[in-house]
PDB file of all heavy atoms in Angstrom:
ATOM      1  N   GLY A   5      25.393  48.398  -9.468  1.00 90.00           N
ATOM      2  CA  GLY A   5      25.863  47.187 -10.143  1.00 90.00           C
ATOM      3  C   GLY A   5      27.309  46.840  -9.897  1.00 90.00           C
ATOM      4  O   GLY A   5      27.843  46.999  -8.793  1.00 90.00           O
ATOM      5  N   GLY A   6      27.930  46.400 -10.978  1.00 84.00           N
ATOM      6  CA  GLY A   6      29.285  45.852 -10.901  1.00 84.00           C
ATOM      7  C   GLY A   6      30.320  46.835 -10.394  1.00 84.00           C
ATOM      8  O   GLY A   6      31.263  46.453  -9.702  1.00 84.00           O
ATOM      9  N   GLY A   7      30.152  48.083 -10.747  1.00 92.00           N
ATOM     10  CA  GLY A   7      30.974  49.117 -10.137  1.00 92.00           C
ATOM     11  C   GLY A   7      32.291  49.411 -10.813  1.00 92.00           C
ATOM     12  O   GLY A   7      33.189  49.977 -10.193  1.00 92.00           O
ATOM     13  N   SER A   8      32.423  49.097 -12.123  1.00 95.00           N
ATOM     14  CA  SER A   8      33.716  49.394 -12.749  1.00 95.00           C
ATOM     15  C   SER A   8      33.957  50.902 -12.810  1.00 95.00           C
ATOM     16  O   SER A   8      35.090  51.358 -12.647  1.00 95.00           O
ATOM     17  CB  SER A   8      33.811  48.767 -14.144  1.00 95.00           C
ATOM     18  OG  SER A   8      33.021  49.458 -15.082  1.00 95.00           O
ATOM     19  N   ASN A   9      32.897  51.681 -13.017  1.00 96.00           N
ATOM     20  CA  ASN A   9      33.073  53.148 -13.009  1.00 96.00           C
ATOM     21  C   ASN A   9      33.416  53.653 -11.612  1.00 96.00           C
ATOM     22  O   ASN A   9      34.219  54.578 -11.459  1.00 96.00           O
ATOM     23  CB  ASN A   9      31.823  53.838 -13.543  1.00 96.00           C
ATOM     24  CG  ASN A   9      31.796  53.864 -15.055  1.00 96.00           C
ATOM     25  OD1 ASN A   9      32.593  54.553 -15.687  1.00 96.00           O
ATOM     26  ND2 ASN A   9      30.900  53.093 -15.655  1.00 96.00           N
ATOM     27  N   GLY A  83      26.344  53.945 -12.644  1.00 94.00           N
ATOM     28  CA  GLY A  83      25.577  52.715 -12.809  1.00 94.00           C
ATOM     29  C   GLY A  83      24.526  52.578 -11.733  1.00 94.00           C
ATOM     30  O   GLY A  83      24.310  51.492 -11.200  1.00 94.00           O
ATOM     31  N   ILE A 103      26.371  58.949 -15.762  1.00 98.00           N
ATOM     32  CA  ILE A 103      26.974  58.506 -17.028  1.00 98.00           C
ATOM     33  C   ILE A 103      26.018  57.540 -17.704  1.00 98.00           C
ATOM     34  O   ILE A 103      25.406  56.697 -17.053  1.00 98.00           O
ATOM     35  CB  ILE A 103      28.375  57.880 -16.822  1.00 98.00           C
ATOM     36  CG1 ILE A 103      29.037  57.643 -18.184  1.00 98.00           C
ATOM     37  CG2 ILE A 103      28.323  56.595 -15.991  1.00 98.00           C
ATOM     38  CD1 ILE A 103      30.544  57.552 -18.126  1.00 98.00           C
ATOM     39  N   HIS A 104      25.885  57.719 -19.012  1.00 98.00           N
ATOM     40  CA  HIS A 104      24.973  56.873 -19.783  1.00 98.00           C
ATOM     41  C   HIS A 104      25.733  56.337 -20.999  1.00 98.00           C
ATOM     42  O   HIS A 104      26.459  57.081 -21.653  1.00 98.00           O
ATOM     43  CB  HIS A 104      23.754  57.686 -20.241  1.00 98.00           C
ATOM     44  CG  HIS A 104      22.740  56.847 -20.955  1.00 98.00           C
ATOM     45  ND1 HIS A 104      21.821  56.076 -20.290  1.00 98.00           N
ATOM     46  CD2 HIS A 104      22.536  56.633 -22.281  1.00 98.00           C
ATOM     47  CE1 HIS A 104      21.076  55.423 -21.168  1.00 98.00           C
ATOM     48  NE2 HIS A 104      21.491  55.744 -22.381  1.00 98.00           N
ATOM     49  N   PRO A 105      25.534  55.042 -21.319  1.00 98.00           N
ATOM     50  CA  PRO A 105      26.351  54.442 -22.378  1.00 98.00           C
ATOM     51  C   PRO A 105      25.792  54.606 -23.784  1.00 98.00           C
ATOM     52  O   PRO A 105      25.710  53.644 -24.543  1.00 98.00           O
ATOM     53  CB  PRO A 105      26.405  52.970 -21.954  1.00 98.00           C
ATOM     54  CG  PRO A 105      25.091  52.736 -21.298  1.00 98.00           C
ATOM     55  CD  PRO A 105      24.719  54.042 -20.625  1.00 98.00           C
ATOM     56  N   LEU A 171      32.164  50.967 -22.736  1.00 98.00           N
ATOM     57  CA  LEU A 171      32.595  51.021 -21.335  1.00 98.00           C
ATOM     58  C   LEU A 171      34.052  51.488 -21.222  1.00 98.00           C
ATOM     59  O   LEU A 171      34.393  52.272 -20.330  1.00 98.00           O
ATOM     60  CB  LEU A 171      32.417  49.656 -20.656  1.00 98.00           C
ATOM     61  CG  LEU A 171      32.641  49.639 -19.142  1.00 98.00           C
ATOM     62  CD1 LEU A 171      31.615  50.512 -18.411  1.00 98.00           C
ATOM     63  CD2 LEU A 171      32.586  48.207 -18.591  1.00 98.00           C
ATOM     64  N   GLU A 174      33.876  55.079 -21.430  1.00 98.00           N
ATOM     65  CA  GLU A 174      33.343  55.649 -20.183  1.00 98.00           C
ATOM     66  C   GLU A 174      34.463  55.837 -19.161  1.00 98.00           C
ATOM     67  O   GLU A 174      34.489  56.829 -18.424  1.00 98.00           O
ATOM     68  CB  GLU A 174      32.287  54.716 -19.575  1.00 98.00           C
ATOM     69  CG  GLU A 174      30.986  54.668 -20.336  1.00 98.00           C
ATOM     70  CD  GLU A 174      29.960  53.777 -19.630  1.00 98.00           C
ATOM     71  OE1 GLU A 174      29.830  53.877 -18.401  1.00 98.00           O
ATOM     72  OE2 GLU A 174      29.307  52.975 -20.313  1.00 98.00           O
TER      73      GLU A 174
HETATM   74  C1  GRF B   1      27.689  51.852 -17.353  1.00 59.83           C
HETATM   75  O1  GRF B   1      27.602  51.424 -18.671  1.00 59.83           O
HETATM   76  C2  GRF B   1      27.023  53.211 -17.197  1.00 59.83           C
HETATM   77  O2  GRF B   1      27.067  53.973 -18.353  1.00 59.83           O
HETATM   78  C3  GRF B   1      25.616  52.861 -16.875  1.00 59.83           C
HETATM   79  O3  GRF B   1      25.686  51.696 -16.104  1.00 59.83           O
HETATM   80  C4  GRF B   1      26.884  50.989 -16.398  1.00 59.83           C
HETATM   81  C5  GRF B   1      27.572  50.751 -15.095  1.00 59.83           C
HETATM   82  O4  GRF B   1      28.686  49.942 -15.231  1.00 59.83           O
HETATM   83  N1  GRF B   1      24.932  53.967 -16.259  1.00 59.83           N
HETATM   84  P1  GRF B   1      29.624  49.708 -13.961  1.00 59.83           P
HETATM   85  O5  GRF B   1      28.740  49.152 -12.849  1.00 59.83           O
HETATM   86  O6  GRF B   1      30.222  51.017 -13.587  1.00 59.83           O
HETATM   87  O7  GRF B   1      30.644  48.714 -14.426  1.00 59.83           O
END
Side-chain angles (χ1 to χ4, degrees):
S8 74
N9 278 291
I103 189 158
H104 184 81
L171 188 63
E174 289 183 44

